[in-house]
Amino acid sequence: MERAFIARTGKVGLSILNREDVPALWKMLTDIDVNRFLNARWRIHYLENEFEWYDSLRKNSDSERAFGICLDGTDEIIGAVFLVDLHFKNRNSFIGYFLSKKYWGKGITTEAVKLLIKYAFNELNLRKLYTSVFEPNEGSHRILEKLGFQKAGRYHSHIYIPGKGFVDELMYELFNDDVKEELGK
C-alpha cells in the first residue's frame, strides 16, 4: 500500500490514514497502557466500531482530521494524531494523540505533534490549538510544554483513573502567534 504523507521530518511522517490501518490502530487502543489516559478509555474498542469511526472520519473531514504516525522511511502506523472539533470559523481545534507503547520515550510523539501543529497553523490557518491531559500523564505534560503549550486551567479531582483515584484534568492551549517564528511562517 502506498502512503500519502502530509508532513515529514528526518524522524517521523504523518500519513493520511487508509482503511487498512484500522486494525493496527485498534490494537494500540486496546493496549491498557496506551489507553489509560485517553478520553475514550472507558469505551470498549470493538474493531467494527473503529471501522465505523474511520468511515465517519472520511465523511466529516471538515470537523475532524486524523493522521497516522510512521517512522520516516517506513509505512508502518505506530500511532496517530488528531484534530477534533475542528472549527474553521473560530479557527481552533482540540488535539489528541497516542503512540504504540513500543515507541515511547524516543521523542516520536513530540515530533509528530510538532508536525500536526505546523499543519494546523500553516496549512489550515488555525489560530489556536487546545487539549487536556490528566495530571498523572507526565509524558504528555512534557511533550506539550516542550512544544510551547501553556496551562490554561484545571478541573480538580475531575476524572477517575483506575489505580490513581480521582485526578485533576489540566487544560493546555497554544496560539499561532506564539510559535510563528519557530514554525518558519
Side-chain angles (χ1 to χ4, degrees):
M1 156 182 51
E2 182 134 351
R3 290 226 171 265
F5 289 89
I6 64 151
R8 288 180 135 152
T9 67
K11 192 172 199 171
V12 300
L14 297 186
S15 169
I16 295 172
L17 291 170
N18 297 305
R19 191 168 182 77
E20 295 81 19
D21 297 323
V22 172
L25 294 171
W26 170 76
K27 188 173 182 181
M28 286 176 240
L29 288 171
T30 57
D31 180 321
I32 196 164
D33 291 328
V34 172
N35 186 290
R36 88 177 140 179
F37 293 130
L38 298 179
N39 284 326
R41 72 197 171 290
W42 297 110
R43 202 174 115 227
I44 294 178
H45 295 274
Y46 293 105
L47 181 56
E48 293 80 11
N49 294 115
E50 299 310 316
F51 280 112
E52 289 172 8
W53 164 80
Y54 174 79
D55 291 339
S56 74
L57 178 68
R58 287 184 30 245
K59 293 174 187 165
N60 298 316
S61 65
D62 286 345
S63 62
E64 183 175 359
R65 308 251 170 114
F67 303 101
I69 302 170
C70 297
L71 291 176
D72 207 25
T74 74
D75 285 342
E76 178 188 4
I77 296 291
I78 61 169
V81 292
F82 305 89
L83 295 171
V84 182
D85 295 330
L86 184 54
H87 200 283
F88 285 104
K89 181 178 179 184
N90 292 324
R91 296 177 47 213
N92 64 40
S93 183
F94 183 91
I95 69 162
Y97 47 87
F98 64 87
L99 187 70
S100 172
K101 184 169 48 177
K102 176 180 173 182
Y103 298 98
W104 288 2
K106 300 176 193 258
I108 294 167
T109 305
T110 302
E111 283 294 310
V113 173
K114 186 175 185 178
L115 287 175
L116 185 66
I117 291 168
K118 287 181 179 182
Y119 172 77
F121 288 161
N122 293 344
E123 302 300 322
L124 301 180
N125 195 30
L126 298 183
R127 65 176 190 83
K128 178 182 175 179
L129 296 173
Y130 59 95
T131 194
S132 66
V133 177
F134 306 137
E135 191 164 45
N137 190 349
E138 295 173 11
S140 277
H141 294 289
R142 281 193 300 274
I143 290 166
L144 294 170
E145 291 169 7
K146 184 186 297 184
L147 293 173
F149 280 80
Q150 300 293 314
K151 286 182 188 165
R154 171 187 301 259
Y155 292 123
H156 297 277
S157 297
H158 190 65
I159 298 292
Y160 181 79
I161 304 287
K164 304 284 183 186
F166 284 94
V167 301
D168 291 0
E169 182 175 4
L170 285 76
M171 280 66 70
Y172 284 89
E173 63 187 1
L174 179 69
F175 287 90
N176 192 340
D177 291 341
D178 295 338
V179 294
K180 269 186 184 175
E181 290 178 24
E182 182 182 327
L183 295 177
K185 194 166 185 185

